[in-house]
Amino acid sequence: MTGKTPRTVLVTGPGGAGRTTVAAATALAAARRGDRTLLLCADPAGPGTVLGTAVPTAAGAGPAEVTPGLWVARVDPADYFRTEFLALQERAAAALDMLGARRLDGEELTELPGAEQFALLQALRRAAAGDWNVLVVDLPPLRDALSVLALPERLRRLIGRLLPAERQAARALRPMIAQLAGVPMPADWLYGAAARRDEELAAVQALIGSPGTTVRLVAEPGPAAADALRVARDGLSLYGLRVDALVPNKVLPTDSSDAWLATLAAQQQKCLDGWSEEYGAGPGTGSGAGWPLREVRHLGRDPRGLDDLADLEALADLGPDPGPDTDPDPDPWWVEDRREEDGLLVWSLPLPGAVKADIGLVRRGDELLLTVGPFHRIVPLAGALRRCTVSGAALTDGVLKVRFTPDPGLWPRTP
């Protein structure tokens, strides 16, 4: 165990853009600079074809070293679902026996929809606890990847609402309450399982929110990818995910004598010029900063083997490695105290590229329900904002500013 969260690169992009190739090349670059690196692949096919070597796919198989310093592991949803279901069946054995239910064997279990996301979260948790300097994750396509990355926060909120930890303090009263109510109270194992699951999700959420974790977007220049990136930018900003690079993949040479290839190359260059202007190439990885563009040339064939991956030099730079004193949970949103000037507190949320018509904002208790395009997030309010009422909001220069007016009945009075 290193005792330190690994430098993590989450690779995603529109389908067919070459995510696995870019993820493998990024991991290889990290390994060859001397970092102990794990490439975690969510694609059921695995990265074996791109790496030019076989990768173990048997259930329970651990990471395999494919070249010095580089290990590869594949997410196995079927094994995850089987293990979790059998464990749940064992814990609920008494209730199943009382109902006369016939237990299922592992051989007859087939994973249900959604197992892929939960298997990936479990694999991320295990990888984060491993002895790795760099973790490169080949995520599903862009929209699915954003859903997975937002899942730990959502699930922890649901667990906290349905099985709040403070109810465990009333454990001694449950038999009495059960007799009065005439219904059985939740068993201790249910609260214990919820606590363990919350702890696991918290570890994944900490990895995703770590200052050493960034998203690397892969897209083949063209109109479809441009639309997908524009929509995804809203989700990346809303979830506070930092982008370290936009990787235009399979970029054609501009000096071809073939008229057909020259036309395709010109169309790509027009798209690249638009991306450079729209997303910027400024330094920094904050959600409001520009995205550096790292073009990867088309090899004229599908990359196969380590030599082809090593040729993708644009992916060698992983960016700065945060020091030990870096804030482990940076908040891209901030509160400005303007009580002296306007009697307000202003919560600023960077949402570059968002438009007013796509933004929804609802205050519910101590939470703020935010909608940006197709993406949703429920954010707990800071202590000071909970004692205020929402008095308005405005989107200015890519920043959503929510105005809060202190409630005289709740705000501390100055002597």
Side-chain angles (χ1 to χ4, degrees):
M1 294 289 293
T2 63
K4 177 185 176 184
T5 301
R7 171 72 173 90
T8 304
V9 182
L10 307 171
V11 182
T12 185
R19 302 185 314 277
T20 300
T21 298
V22 170
T26 302
L28 179 63
R32 290 190 170 178
R33 77 174 190 179
D35 289 318
R36 181 178 169 87
T37 303
L38 174 65
L39 171 62
L40 181 62
C41 187
D43 189 335
T49 302
V50 171
L51 292 170
T53 184
V55 176
T57 57
E65 189 174 17
V66 296
T67 192
L70 176 59
W71 281 259
V72 179
R74 184 179 65 85
V75 178
D76 189 344
D79 181 60
Y80 166 82
F81 178 79
R82 188 181 306 110
T83 301
E84 290 291 310
F85 186 91
L86 292 177
L88 177 62
Q89 184 175 247
E90 184 64 28
R91 289 195 295 267
L96 293 175
D97 291 341
M98 183 176 63
L99 295 173
R102 181 182 177 185
R103 300 191 191 185
L104 297 173
D105 296 326
E107 293 76 10
E108 57 183 315
L109 293 176
T110 303
E111 70 268 23
L112 296 175
E116 296 87 353
Q117 291 89 334
F118 289 100
L120 177 55
L121 293 181
Q122 184 190 62
L124 282 173
R125 178 182 63 83
R126 291 178 175 175
D131 188 20
W132 312 109
N133 302 117
V134 174
L135 170 61
V136 180
V137 187
D138 177 20
L139 289 174
L142 197 48
R143 288 289 292 273
D144 293 337
L146 290 175
S147 296
V148 170
L149 296 177
L151 197 54
E153 181 180 82
R154 292 176 177 174
L155 290 177
R156 293 189 69 199
R157 178 180 179 273
L158 290 176
I159 291 173
R161 290 290 295 271
L162 296 176
L163 293 170
E166 56 268 20
R167 287 187 185 173
Q168 298 185 53
R171 185 176 301 171
L173 298 178
R174 286 182 201 151
M176 183 185 303
I177 297 175
Q179 291 180 2
L180 294 175
V183 295
M185 298 300 292
D188 288 347
W189 70 264
L190 181 59
Y191 286 91
R196 289 192 299 272
R197 191 66 69 192
D198 181 74
E199 183 179 354
E200 294 172 356
L201 291 169
V204 180
Q205 188 177 355
L207 173 69
I208 296 172
S210 166
T213 297
T214 55
V215 176
R216 183 159 295 187
L217 297 173
V218 185
E220 186 173 352
D227 292 340
L229 290 175
R230 198 169 292 116
V231 172
R233 180 170 54 180
D234 292 338
L236 291 164
S237 301
L238 182 63
Y239 302 141
L241 300 170
R242 293 166 293 279
V243 176
D244 68 6
L246 170 58
V247 182
N249 195 23
K250 306 177 186 177
V251 177
L252 298 170
T254 57
D255 56 355
S256 174
S257 59
D258 184 283
W260 184 72
L261 285 178
T263 299
L264 292 179
Q267 293 174 349
Q268 283 192 340
Q269 287 302 312
K270 182 178 179 180
C271 181
L272 290 173
D273 291 342
W275 286 358
S276 180
E277 181 179 352
E278 183 172 2
Y279 301 114
T285 56
S287 58
W291 298 349
L293 267 64
R294 299 182 185 172
E295 297 181 20
V296 174
R297 64 183 180 85
H298 202 303
L299 297 181
R301 62 187 183 282
D302 291 334
R304 291 290 184 272
L306 301 181
D307 290 339
D308 281 352
L309 294 178
D311 197 33
L312 305 181
E313 298 178 357
L315 305 173
D317 181 18
L318 291 178
D321 187 16
D325 297 329
T326 305
D327 182 359
D329 189 20
D331 190 348
W333 304 346
W334 66 93
V335 177
E336 181 183 359
D337 189 346
R338 287 171 36 186
R339 286 176 295 167
E340 292 291 336
E341 303 90 337
D342 308 316
L344 297 172
L345 294 173
V346 180
W347 197 14
S348 296
L349 297 70
L351 296 173
V355 296
K356 183 178 179 181
D358 291 338
I359 295 179
L361 189 65
V362 177
R363 166 79 179 271
R364 181 176 295 169
D366 292 337
E367 296 176 323
L368 201 62
L369 283 65
L370 284 168
T371 298
V372 184
F375 305 101
H376 309 275
R377 187 179 182 186
I378 300 177
V379 186
L381 294 174
L385 300 181
R386 295 178 184 181
R387 301 192 299 270
C388 302
T389 58
V390 177
S391 53
L395 181 65
T396 306
D397 297 328
V399 178
L400 177 64
K401 295 181 178 292
V402 186
R403 299 185 296 275
F404 289 81
T405 301
D407 186 336
L410 299 175
W411 201 261
R413 298 186 182 184
T414 55

